[in-house]
Amino acid sequence: MATDTVDSTVLLEIYRRTARIYHADCKFRQMISTGELAIVYYPVRGQEVLAAAMMTALEHDDYLVTIYRGLHDQIAKGVPLKPLWAEFAGKRTGTCCGKGGPMHITHPESGLMVTTGIVGSGIPIATGLGLASQLAGDGKVTVCSFGDGATNIGAFHEGVNLASLWNLPVIFLCQNNRYGEHTKFEFTSTTETVAERGVAYGIRSVRVDGNDAAQMYAAAREAVEHARAGHGPTLIEAMTFRFNGHVFGDPGKYIPKEELEAAMAADPVPRLREQLLALDISPSTLDDIDAQAVQEVEEAAAFALNSGQPELRENRLDVLSEEILG
Amino acid sequence: MSELITFGQAYNLALAEAMENDEQVILLGEDVGDEQGGGVFKTMYGLSGRFGTDRVRSTPIAEQAILGAAVGSAIAGYRPVADIMFMNFLTVCMDQLVNHAAKLRFMSGGQTAVPLTVTTTTGTGRQFGGQHSDWLEAWLAHVPGLKVVTPSTPADAKALLLASIEDDDPTIFIQHIALMRAKGAAPAADHRVPLGKAAVVREGTDITVISYGARVRDCLQVAERLADQVSIEVVDLRTIAPFDEETVLRSVVKTQRAVVMHEAVKAFGVGAEIASRIHEELFGQLKAPVHRVGSKYSPVPFNPGLEQDWTANGGDLEVAIRKVMG
C-alpha cells in the first residue's frame, strides 16, 4: 500500500505519537543506565510506528488492553505522559498511585483498561470488554495488543474463539516482533504466520508491515470500521522488530547479528520521517514535533522524579471495596 | 409449617431477582441457557427464557474465556455472574481469577472495580471422584482481593448469592453438590445476609464449633446428640473471606474452647487460619488448644465407602470435641 492512500495529516499525527514514544523509550533507557531510575523495563524501540498508527485509528474512549511491553501502546492511546511516567517510577502521582507499576498501567480516562504482566492473559479480558460494548451498544472498539509469543497460550485460542462466536467488536493486534522472550517465533509456532490462526477461528485476519505507517493505519482503520459496523473481530498480525533484548539489560545475544542489522537498517522511525518529507512536509515541521516531544518527555521525567512516594496507607485501600482495617 | 425450597431453587430465585433488579447483571457459563438445560444441575433454568440469551449466555467449554470475559465486562461496568460448573475447573482459569479479578482494583489504584461473582459447585456425597469434588476455598481465601462465600441453608444461599452479586468485589460462591436438592425453609421476604458476617446458629456455653457450608449440618446434629453432656455453640461462618473474627472471638471468649470443622483436607486449610487467630488473640483465656477437623489427606476417592470414609463427619467432630473438653 502506497503512502499516498493515507492523508498526510493522518501521517503527521502518527509521527507526533511516534516521536513521543521514541523519545520516551530513549529517556527510560538512559535513566535506567545512569541509575536515576531502578525499574524493570521492556523497551519498545522499533515498534513505535505500529502502535502510533493503530491508536490513531481509534477514538479516545475506545478500549485498549496491553501487556508489559506496553509503553508505545499507552503513549499512542493518549495516556498523559506525566502520570504515566510517574507510575513507571512508582510514585504517588502515577496513574495507579504507584501500586501498579510499569507492568500494570491502567488509565480508563484514556481507554487503557488493563496492562497485564502475564503473556496472553489480556485476550479473554478484551473479549469481555467487547461483550460489554456489544451489550451496551456504545459503539466502542477494544484493541488487544500482544506479542507473537502470546499466540501459543490457551487464552489466545479461547478468547479469539469466543469473540468470533459472539461477533464482538475486538481487534486482536499481534505485534509480531519475531521473538517470545529469547526464543524465535519459528521455534515455537506450528504455523508460519499468526494470521492463519485467526482464519481457523473464522475471523478477518490480515498480515501487514506494522513498521509502515500507511499500511498499518489502513489495516487498523479497516478493522475499526469492520468492528463498529457490527461485523465482529479482526486479527491483525503486524510485523515488526524489537531493537533491544527482551528486558532492558538483556543483550539479546540470541538474535543473529545480520537479522538485527537488517531490522535496524529499516528503522520505522526515520522511514516515516522520509515518507513525510516525500509528501512535502518540511523538515522544520518534523523537527518541531520532535522538539515538542523531547520537551514533554523531559517534563514528564522530571515530574516523576520530583513526585513523592505513595502514603503507606495505600496498602489498605483498593484491596476490597471497603478499606482494610488495622 | 413454612414453605420449603431446595438450594437449587434458592440459587435460581437469587439470580432471577438480581437480574430483575439490575440490568447490568449478566450470566455466562457452560450450558446455562434454557436450550442447553439451564445448567448442569438445572439451577439456571428459565433465566434465558425470561431475560434473553444476550444476558444469559451459554459459552463454549472454555473457563479462561468465561472468567476473562467476566473480568472484561466487569471493568466496563457490568455485574457478571460467571458459572464455573465444578470448583476443580477453577484451576483452569486461576490466572484470570488470581492475577486479574483479584488485583485489578488494587493495581489500578482504585480506577477499575471488578464486581464479578463466580458460582461453582463441589463436594462429596455424589461420587464425582477426584477431579470434581475438591474444596479449594483456602487457595482462594489466601488471595487478597477475593471474597469467598458458602451457604449452609437454602435461605442463606439466596441471600448470600444476592449479596455476592450486589457486592463490588470479586466473590466466589460455592454450592455443595450433594445439597443441591436438599430442602430448607424458604427465606422470609426481608432475609438478608451481608458478606463478611457469621451467624451463631446454636447457642451454647461449653465449646464453640466453627464451620461453614454443608458441614454446619454435622455440627448441629452433633450438638443435638451431645446436648445432655456438653453445651455446644455453633458458628456458621457463611463468608470464609473476609473472615468474621469478631463473632468467632466473642463466642470463644464465652466458651473458652473451640473446634473448627471443614470438608477440605485438614492440612493447610481454613481451619488452620481460624485456629491460629483464636490462639493469637485468646491464648491465656483458652482451657484447651483449638482443634481442627478436616477430611483425609488424599485426593477424593470414587468408591462410595472410600468417599464416605474420606469426608470429615460428625464422628470425627465428636472425637475432637471430647479431646478439647478433656
Side-chain angles (χ1 to χ4, degrees):
Chain A
M1 200 170 296
T3 43
D4 59 11
T5 58
V6 174
D7 198 273
S8 64
T9 56
V10 169
L11 281 184
L12 261 181
E13 178 55 30
I14 296 172
Y15 188 80
R16 243 175 239 114
R17 299 185 197 210
T18 295
R20 271 189 217 116
I21 299 164
Y22 172 87
H23 293 294
D25 178 83
C26 292
K27 182 76 181 172
F28 269 115
R29 285 184 287 118
Q30 179 219 320
M31 286 174 78
I32 297 166
S33 301
T34 58
E36 279 177 286
L37 202 57
I39 59 166
V40 174
Y41 178 63
Y42 298 88
V44 296
R45 185 71 193 86
Q47 300 181 210
E48 302 92 335
V49 167
L50 191 170
M54 177 73 239
M55 307 312 162
T56 300
L58 296 178
E59 298 296 329
H60 190 70
D61 64 354
D62 283 327
Y63 292 134
L64 171 66
V65 175
T66 187
I67 60 159
Y68 52 87
R69 191 184 315 285
L71 181 73
H72 55 330
D73 290 340
Q74 291 145 0
I75 293 176
K77 187 67 178 73
V79 181
L81 282 187
K82 284 181 180 172
L84 177 64
W85 205 283
E87 190 59 35
F88 267 73
K91 297 298 184 71
R92 68 195 302 171
T93 53
T95 50
C96 313
C97 319
K99 298 201 281 191
M103 285 200 262
H104 306 297
I105 307 286
T106 294
H107 196 256
E109 271 175 57
S110 311
L112 175 62
M113 301 306 285
V114 177
T115 300
T116 179
I118 312 282
V119 169
S121 65
I123 296 166
I125 297 176
T127 294
L129 286 162
L131 170 62
S133 292
Q134 188 187 65
L135 286 168
D138 60 17
K140 290 183 189 178
V141 169
T142 299
V143 169
C144 183
S145 190
F146 50 88
D148 41 294
T151 64
N152 291 317
I153 94 153
F156 168 82
H157 299 273
E158 292 192 21
V160 172
N161 182 54
L162 197 65
S164 175
L165 192 66
W166 291 350
N167 214 37
L168 302 176
V170 183
I171 297 168
F172 297 103
L173 175 65
C174 176
Q175 304 190 12
N176 187 345
N177 63 21
R178 294 182 259 167
Y179 285 84
E181 305 225 349
H182 299 194
T183 306
K184 259 184 189 307
F185 177 69
E186 293 79 4
F187 198 81
T188 57
S189 177
T190 50
T191 54
E192 267 184 50
T193 69
V194 169
E196 63 201 273
R197 293 187 166 186
V199 174
Y201 293 108
I203 65 171
R204 248 188 106 242
S205 303
V206 294
R207 190 174 206 240
V208 297
D209 178 356
N211 287 350
D212 182 90
Q215 197 181 138
M216 184 62 220
Y217 178 78
R221 198 65 246 162
E222 280 175 39
V224 169
E225 282 164 13
H226 186 78
R228 282 206 220 287
H231 297 145
T234 296
L235 171 64
I236 302 176
E237 179 182 14
M239 300 308 295
T240 187
F241 204 78
R242 203 180 74 193
F243 289 1
N244 289 273
H246 170 56
V247 62
F248 187 62
D250 160 22
K253 286 184 178 159
Y254 44 84
I255 303 174
K257 196 162 159 267
E258 313 75 57
E259 190 181 9
L260 182 62
E261 280 172 359
M264 289 174 88
D267 190 334
V269 178
R271 181 172 162 196
L272 175 56
R273 189 181 166 92
E274 280 156 27
Q275 285 167 337
L276 282 160
L277 293 172
L279 290 170
D280 286 337
I281 304 294
S282 73
S284 66
T285 302
L286 301 178
D287 291 343
D288 287 349
I289 290 173
D290 276 296
Q292 173 75 25
V294 168
Q295 191 190 331
E296 284 175 30
V297 164
E298 289 297 334
E299 284 171 7
F303 173 79
L305 285 186
N306 295 330
S307 290
Q309 303 296 337
E311 287 180 52
L312 298 182
R313 178 171 171 271
E314 282 292 343
N315 278 337
R316 303 201 305 266
L317 302 176
D318 310 320
V319 177
L320 296 170
S321 44
E322 315 87 33
E323 182 174 350
I324 306 282
L325 300 173
Chain B
M1 188 177 152
S2 66
E3 193 196 341
L4 296 179
I5 62 167
T6 65
F7 279 86
Q9 285 168 329
Y11 188 68
N12 190 287
L13 285 172
L15 286 168
E17 195 171 320
M19 296 191 84
E20 183 73 44
N21 291 345
D22 185 351
E23 287 196 353
Q24 304 302 102
V25 176
I26 58 173
L27 174 58
L28 308 171
E30 293 153 16
D31 300 339
V32 298
D34 292 352
E35 203 181 318
Q36 294 77 36
V40 68
F41 297 108
K42 306 207 180 303
T43 50
M44 290 159 277
Y45 194 79
L47 296 173
S48 76
R50 185 164 163 201
F51 298 103
T53 50
D54 256 7
R55 287 179 68 195
V56 180
R57 293 200 180 208
S58 279
T59 64
I61 298 171
E63 281 78 13
Q64 287 194 72
I66 296 167
L67 232 312
V71 170
S73 54
I75 60 177
Y78 282 83
R79 290 190 177 272
V81 177
D83 189 61
I84 301 295
M85 203 177 276
F86 289 94
M87 193 173 205
N88 285 81
F89 306 171
L90 277 175
T91 61
V92 178
C93 52
M94 280 300 256
D95 171 44
Q96 290 300 332
L97 200 57
V98 172
N99 291 318
H100 298 89
K103 294 177 185 164
L104 287 180
R105 175 193 285 275
F106 183 84
M107 295 196 309
S108 70
Q111 293 177 99
T112 50
V114 190
L116 149 69
T117 302
V118 178
T119 51
T120 193
T121 63
T122 193
T124 58
R126 286 191 58 190
Q127 290 177 266
F128 276 97
Q131 294 179 350
H132 289 67
S133 312
D134 277 332
W135 282 85
L136 305 175
E137 73 277 23
W139 294 20
L140 303 168
H142 194 62
V143 178
L146 295 180
K147 291 179 177 175
V148 185
V149 165
T150 189
S152 69
T153 66
D156 273 9
K158 178 177 178 246
L160 283 168
L161 182 50
L162 267 172
S164 300
I165 297 170
E166 288 165 2
D167 194 78
D168 286 337
D169 298 314
T171 301
I172 323 298
F173 178 92
I174 313 164
Q175 170 65 45
H176 200 294
I177 290 171
L179 292 189
M180 201 63 90
R181 297 191 194 100
K183 289 188 173 175
D190 60 350
H191 184 60
R192 294 283 179 277
V193 178
L195 298 187
K197 293 287 173 208
V200 177
V201 290
R202 182 191 168 101
E203 304 256 356
T205 53
D206 297 333
I207 184 168
T208 301
V209 175
I210 302 135
S211 191
Y212 48 87
R215 303 276 69 91
V216 171
R217 300 178 150 216
D218 297 302
C219 301
L220 290 170
Q221 281 165 11
V222 168
E224 193 60 38
R225 195 161 69 228
L226 302 184
D228 55 348
Q229 302 163 49
V230 52
S231 168
I232 300 174
E233 178 144 310
V234 180
V235 175
D236 178 359
L237 279 188
R238 304 203 277 201
T239 301
I240 298 164
F243 149 56
D244 184 358
E245 193 166 5
E246 194 187 328
T247 299
V248 169
L249 294 182
R250 199 189 308 123
S251 174
V252 182
V253 163
K254 180 172 76 173
T255 61
Q256 297 174 293
R257 295 183 179 90
V259 173
V260 193
M261 181 186 197
H262 51 59
E263 187 172 312
V265 297
K266 181 174 158 183
F268 301 96
V270 168
E273 171 67 19
I274 295 172
S276 177
R277 294 238 213 152
I278 295 171
H279 285 133
E280 280 172 3
E281 296 298 323
L282 303 177
F283 184 69
Q285 302 173 55
L286 294 174
K287 288 186 176 161
V290 180
H291 276 240
R292 293 172 292 151
V293 177
S295 294
K296 297 200 166 48
Y297 187 70
S298 76
V300 181
F302 165 73
N303 170 280
L306 291 177
E307 190 197 46
Q308 207 179 352
D309 177 70
W310 180 87
T311 310
N313 60 28
D316 301 323
L317 178 61
E318 201 176 318
V319 169
I321 288 170
R322 290 192 194 285
K323 272 190 193 159
V324 173
M325 291 307 297

mmCIF file of all heavy atoms in Angstrom, chain A residues 99 310-319 323-324, chain B residues 106:
data_model
loop_
_atom_site.group_PDB
_atom_site.id
_atom_site.type_symbol
_atom_site.label_atom_id
_atom_site.label_comp_id
_atom_site.label_asym_id
_atom_site.label_seq_id
_atom_site.Cartn_x
_atom_site.Cartn_y
_atom_site.Cartn_z
ATOM 1 N N LYS A 99 0.827 1.813 42.696
ATOM 2 C CA LYS A 99 0.503 0.443 43.108
ATOM 3 C C LYS A 99 0.486 -0.544 41.948
ATOM 4 O O LYS A 99 0.410 -1.757 42.150
ATOM 5 C CB LYS A 99 -0.848 0.418 43.825
ATOM 6 C CG LYS A 99 -0.821 1.256 45.101
ATOM 7 C CD LYS A 99 -1.913 0.874 46.061
ATOM 8 C CE LYS A 99 -3.242 1.462 45.673
ATOM 9 N NZ LYS A 99 -4.229 1.289 46.764
ATOM 10 N N PRO A 310 4.140 7.049 47.507
ATOM 11 C CA PRO A 310 2.759 6.884 47.974
ATOM 12 C C PRO A 310 2.728 6.796 49.499
ATOM 13 O O PRO A 310 3.693 6.339 50.107
ATOM 14 C CB PRO A 310 2.320 5.550 47.365
ATOM 15 C CG PRO A 310 3.395 5.119 46.442
ATOM 16 C CD PRO A 310 4.613 5.913 46.722
ATOM 17 N N GLU A 311 1.595 7.235 50.077
ATOM 18 C CA GLU A 311 1.431 7.054 51.525
ATOM 19 C C GLU A 311 1.321 5.556 51.800
ATOM 20 O O GLU A 311 0.723 4.820 51.015
ATOM 21 C CB GLU A 311 0.123 7.701 51.978
ATOM 22 C CG GLU A 311 0.150 9.209 52.006
ATOM 23 C CD GLU A 311 -1.204 9.751 52.478
ATOM 24 O OE1 GLU A 311 -1.674 9.323 53.534
ATOM 25 O OE2 GLU A 311 -1.767 10.573 51.746
ATOM 26 N N LEU A 312 1.858 5.106 52.929
ATOM 27 C CA LEU A 312 1.813 3.672 53.247
ATOM 28 C C LEU A 312 0.376 3.184 53.444
ATOM 29 O O LEU A 312 0.073 2.011 53.267
ATOM 30 C CB LEU A 312 2.665 3.376 54.481
ATOM 31 C CG LEU A 312 4.152 3.710 54.290
ATOM 32 C CD1 LEU A 312 4.944 3.353 55.544
ATOM 33 C CD2 LEU A 312 4.744 2.999 53.069
ATOM 34 N N ARG A 313 -0.512 4.117 53.763
ATOM 35 C CA ARG A 313 -1.931 3.787 53.912
ATOM 36 C C ARG A 313 -2.531 3.178 52.632
ATOM 37 O O ARG A 313 -3.545 2.484 52.685
ATOM 38 C CB ARG A 313 -2.650 5.086 54.292
ATOM 39 C CG ARG A 313 -4.122 4.993 54.462
ATOM 40 C CD ARG A 313 -4.671 6.299 55.042
ATOM 41 N NE ARG A 313 -6.113 6.288 55.021
ATOM 42 C CZ ARG A 313 -6.836 6.717 53.985
ATOM 43 N NH1 ARG A 313 -6.244 7.211 52.927
ATOM 44 N NH2 ARG A 313 -8.156 6.672 54.033
ATOM 45 N N GLU A 314 -1.902 3.461 51.490
ATOM 46 C CA GLU A 314 -2.394 2.933 50.208
ATOM 47 C C GLU A 314 -2.531 1.402 50.235
ATOM 48 O O GLU A 314 -3.342 0.834 49.523
ATOM 49 C CB GLU A 314 -1.467 3.332 49.062
ATOM 50 C CG GLU A 314 -1.657 4.765 48.592
ATOM 51 C CD GLU A 314 -2.980 4.998 47.905
ATOM 52 O OE1 GLU A 314 -3.639 4.041 47.493
ATOM 53 O OE2 GLU A 314 -3.371 6.177 47.795
ATOM 54 N N ASN A 315 -1.727 0.733 51.045
ATOM 55 C CA ASN A 315 -1.807 -0.731 51.106
ATOM 56 C C ASN A 315 -3.111 -1.233 51.705
ATOM 57 O O ASN A 315 -3.439 -2.409 51.569
ATOM 58 C CB ASN A 315 -0.634 -1.298 51.921
ATOM 59 C CG ASN A 315 0.619 -1.401 51.069
ATOM 60 O OD1 ASN A 315 0.525 -1.466 49.847
ATOM 61 N ND2 ASN A 315 1.771 -1.404 51.706
ATOM 62 N N ARG A 316 -3.840 -0.346 52.371
ATOM 63 C CA ARG A 316 -5.134 -0.750 52.936
ATOM 64 C C ARG A 316 -6.286 -0.343 52.018
ATOM 65 O O ARG A 316 -7.425 -0.676 52.282
ATOM 66 C CB ARG A 316 -5.338 -0.112 54.319
ATOM 67 C CG ARG A 316 -4.246 -0.447 55.319
ATOM 68 C CD ARG A 316 -4.745 -0.231 56.740
ATOM 69 N NE ARG A 316 -5.268 1.091 56.967
ATOM 70 C CZ ARG A 316 -4.555 2.120 57.452
ATOM 71 N NH1 ARG A 316 -3.280 1.948 57.754
ATOM 72 N NH2 ARG A 316 -5.110 3.295 57.631
ATOM 73 N N LEU A 317 -5.972 0.386 50.977
ATOM 74 C CA LEU A 317 -7.015 0.885 50.073
ATOM 75 C C LEU A 317 -7.030 0.092 48.768
ATOM 76 O O LEU A 317 -5.980 -0.324 48.284
ATOM 77 C CB LEU A 317 -6.763 2.362 49.747
ATOM 78 C CG LEU A 317 -6.703 3.323 50.935
ATOM 79 C CD1 LEU A 317 -6.342 4.722 50.450
ATOM 80 C CD2 LEU A 317 -8.026 3.326 51.680
ATOM 81 N N ASP A 318 -8.227 -0.084 48.230
ATOM 82 C CA ASP A 318 -8.424 -0.696 46.907
ATOM 83 C C ASP A 318 -8.138 -2.196 46.869
ATOM 84 O O ASP A 318 -8.088 -2.792 45.795
ATOM 85 C CB ASP A 318 -7.572 -0.001 45.821
ATOM 86 C CG ASP A 318 -7.726 1.508 45.823
ATOM 87 O OD1 ASP A 318 -8.869 1.958 46.014
ATOM 88 O OD2 ASP A 318 -6.721 2.217 45.659
ATOM 89 N N VAL A 319 -7.910 -2.827 48.033
ATOM 90 C CA VAL A 319 -7.798 -4.295 48.050
ATOM 91 C C VAL A 319 -9.203 -4.853 47.860
ATOM 92 O O VAL A 319 -9.457 -5.707 47.011
ATOM 93 C CB VAL A 319 -7.195 -4.800 49.376
ATOM 94 C CG1 VAL A 319 -7.149 -6.326 49.391
ATOM 95 C CG2 VAL A 319 -5.814 -4.205 49.593
ATOM 96 N N GLU A 323 -12.195 -0.115 53.004
ATOM 97 C CA GLU A 323 -10.813 -0.030 53.483
ATOM 98 C C GLU A 323 -10.547 -1.193 54.440
ATOM 99 O O GLU A 323 -11.389 -1.558 55.244
ATOM 100 C CB GLU A 323 -10.595 1.305 54.205
ATOM 101 C CG GLU A 323 -9.172 1.482 54.698
ATOM 102 C CD GLU A 323 -8.914 2.868 55.293
ATOM 103 O OE1 GLU A 323 -9.787 3.755 55.154
ATOM 104 O OE2 GLU A 323 -7.852 3.057 55.867
ATOM 105 N N ILE A 324 -9.372 -1.796 54.316
ATOM 106 C CA ILE A 324 -8.988 -2.881 55.224
ATOM 107 C C ILE A 324 -8.653 -2.258 56.574
ATOM 108 O O ILE A 324 -7.906 -1.276 56.630
ATOM 109 C CB ILE A 324 -7.735 -3.608 54.699
ATOM 110 C CG1 ILE A 324 -7.939 -4.084 53.274
ATOM 111 C CG2 ILE A 324 -7.334 -4.735 55.625
ATOM 112 C CD1 ILE A 324 -8.750 -5.309 53.116
ATOM 113 N N PHE B 106 -6.803 -3.002 42.933
ATOM 114 C CA PHE B 106 -5.625 -2.507 43.663
ATOM 115 C C PHE B 106 -4.574 -1.957 42.702
ATOM 116 O O PHE B 106 -4.061 -0.841 42.873
ATOM 117 C CB PHE B 106 -5.033 -3.645 44.503
ATOM 118 C CG PHE B 106 -3.864 -3.215 45.357
ATOM 119 C CD1 PHE B 106 -4.079 -2.631 46.589
ATOM 120 C CD2 PHE B 106 -2.558 -3.387 44.928
ATOM 121 C CE1 PHE B 106 -3.016 -2.230 47.390
ATOM 122 C CE2 PHE B 106 -1.488 -2.982 45.713
ATOM 123 C CZ PHE B 106 -1.714 -2.396 46.946
#
